[in-house]
Amino acid sequence: MEGRVAYENDLNLKATELRLGLPGTHEEQQAVSSRVGNNKRPNDESDDQNETAPPPKAQIVGWPPIRSYRKNNYQPKKTESDGGGIYIKLSMDGAPYLRKIDLKVYSGYPELLKAVENMFKFNIGEYSEREGYKGSDYAPTYEDKDGDWMLVGDVPWGMFITSCKRLRIMKGSEARGLGCGV
Amino acid sequence: MSEDDDRQQSPPSDLEFVSNKARNCNATGSGSGNPEFQSAYPDQVLENVLHFLTSKRDRNAVSLVCKSWYRVEALTRSELFIGNCYAVSPARATARFARVRALHLKGKPRFADFNMMPSDWGAHFNPWALAMAKAYPWLEKVHLKRMSVTDDDLATLAELFLGFKELVLVCCDGFGTSGLAIFVNKCRQLKVLDLIESESSDDEADWISCFPEGESHLESLIFDCVECHINFEALERLVARSPSLKKLRLNRYVSIGQLYRLMVRAPQLTHLGTGSFSSSEIAGQGDQEPDYVNAFAACKTLVCLSGFREIILDYLPAIYPVCANLTSLNFSYANITAEQLKPIISKCHKLQVFWVLDSICDEGLQAVAATCKELRELRVFPVDAREDSDGPVSEVGLQAISEGCRKLQSILYFCQQMTNAAVITMSKNCPDLVVFRLCIMGRHRADHVTGEPMDDGFGAIVMNCKKLTRLAVSGLLTDKVFDYIGRHGKLVRTLSVAFAGDSDMGLKYVLEGCPQLQKFEIRDSPFGDAALRSGLHHYYNMRFLWMSSCRLTRRGCQEIARAMPRLVVEVIRSADEEEVDDAVEILYMYRSLEGPRTDAPKFVTIS
């Protein structure tokens, strides 16, 4: 339990926040200038006190004129030098404490699952679309944006990393139920 | 206004001031006092002739000749276009036009797309749906842009119009998958369902399964903007029983494996949106991948390709077989480099429409210029849409395009830096330009080589591109650019201005100089009440004027409203702010036959 509390107090909470938009953009600054139509130049408004290096200019509503549908839809390229990874909590049924992993480090499901297997020293089994994970007592699941628990592997990787909030390796009868042709 | 027939002057396309303009042709002054012109032929003859007229401008002109022509034209108009849903009421429209088969309706102004209008402002389709249901039981087609459409409205369309065939929703919102489910289920004659850049809520209704069984008449099914999972098996069965299907645009929840299965069932497609173009399986490498190349090769009539929402580059070569035939290619969701683009674009000799991300850089644009000699329309969108992001495209790309694509008619170009020289070059190389929209994302950015404002570049565009009707300006701009536009932009109908100008003179130049101006949207520019007054002679000829974050006051707006009774002058503030002072955040004004609308929310004040 102690371990959990320590994670809770982690100063890097921002990194685990789920946001739409490109990594590294500061969406909260959009909220600052959400007042429509203000003759003041947005630079006049106090730029956010940002702990990191020079804060980008406060973004103005509706500029540049791109529909938000487009802004939210771009898949970020390989993580080059943009800060913040996608850190999520990883729990395993029966393990005394959780882990934190950075999803951006992996390029696909096979890598992720191998890393998880190594972390907790167990075997996940073979994935198939029809039957989930066969050959083991475990099923990797994740909580998505809507709060639902989903089986890892069903959706495209890009979609997965933007919608995954936390990972949980389920064990035993619960796991078997999930695996069977739902 | 001159009545000279030779001028381009066309009557307003969404409004008729009948009482002012319809001439009374009095034949002989007979004692009967009947002002009706006694025509040499019965109305039926005229009706037969007018049936051939399809252009709405021609029809508007015809309707102004005299009362009997007005009457006959109204009887024969089957396609009704209303550019501003608040300019005329459903009752008035249905009273005048008795036999409408197709309705084309537009609602919110374009700046609403960029979150500049508080939500729930208006543009509800509902009153139109109900009025149409009573007046036009034979309505077949509805085309809406920027309207709020509810699930109930969709149900109305499907249930009350037995022959309904075609629904196109562009930039609409307010409905969900439940509404779609009812609509597709009840609409037995449906040929076209096009949902384009619209927002729909995911009520988890399996709408694809709701298409009725048996052979379908579907010719077009576009749902790439619908953000929810779909029942793929049902979709596959639907495609299999739609022999007339020509256009299919999938959303990003359809994997490439699923795309393959659809393509083999529908090789007759002309328009394809590929969905995610990526794999959902994490199956091992040993598995057999379907022959994607073959699937594309089988589509001999494919001319328009889009999608690629989550592209896995390994699959891109699959589209090589269709490149030579493509006239339209939309890569604007695919983050690809110049190197990745080149093998594709080098085969696209017939390409006319190309939408792409700036990830291809200037080098990618050079490759486009080298091959696509037939290009008519280019749109370059930014991957990183922020003011201070790096700009991978610049004046170099623009110049290259202008040199290679001489037939260019329409361009939308987002960049971080530009020069007057490149814009001037384009104005000379591409004389056919009708639409020129340049967005330099950093505000007030000057020519990065000379340090000068961008006035001369845009000036050259309006001077040299004699067919120009739509213009969007950006960068550091003084009043001079508006002087150029007022002097030379005589055909400009749509003008978009942001962060530009020095004084009221800027606005005056345009309002006094551009007789064809219909749609004018301005933000964050120093134009005040005096400038607004200079357009009084013209506002009845315009569809709308939008001004946000300028220097207008309530008093100034009220003055306009008093001077022009047929203008609706809306002052809109942010929904959460209280009325504080005289300054106006957003002015949205438009001509209307109906006066102030009754469905305005609290944050809208109509003077």
Side-chain angles (χ1 to χ4, degrees), chain A residues 22 35-39 42 56-57 60-67 69-70 74 77 109 127 129 153-154 156, chain B residues 114-115 197 224-225 280-282 309 332-333 335 337 357 382-383 385 388 441 443 523 549-550 574 577 585:
Chain A
L22 301 170
R35 259 173 292 145
V36 175
N38 193 326
N39 280 338
K57 262 157 105 173
I60 309 180
V61 173
W63 189 263
I66 303 273
R67 302 193 66 231
Y69 177 74
R70 265 190 191 283
Y74 293 142
K77 262 191 129 147
Y109 287 118
Y127 173 81
E129 217 174 83
D154 286 339
Chain B
F114 314 125
N115 302 327
E197 296 194 20
D224 48 1
C225 63
S280 65
E281 275 137 29
I282 52 169
R309 295 291 170 123
S332 67
Y333 290 97
N335 194 335
T337 63
L357 286 177
V383 168
D388 44 359
M441 291 191 278
R443 286 167 289 139
R523 65 167 294 177
S549 306
C550 297
S574 268
E577 275 195 23
E585 288 176 30

Side-chain angles (χ1 to χ4, degrees), chain B residues 220-237:
Chain B
S220 174
L221 180 61
I222 295 179
F223 63 96
D224 48 1
C225 63
V226 177
E227 287 289 303
C228 63
H229 291 274
I230 47 131
N231 180 335
F232 178 72
E233 277 71 33
L235 178 62
E236 195 176 7
R237 285 195 300 274

Side-chain angles (χ1 to χ4, degrees), chain B residues 171-182:
Chain B
C171 301
C172 295
D173 61 15
F175 62 98
T177 46
S178 324
L180 290 177
I182 304 178

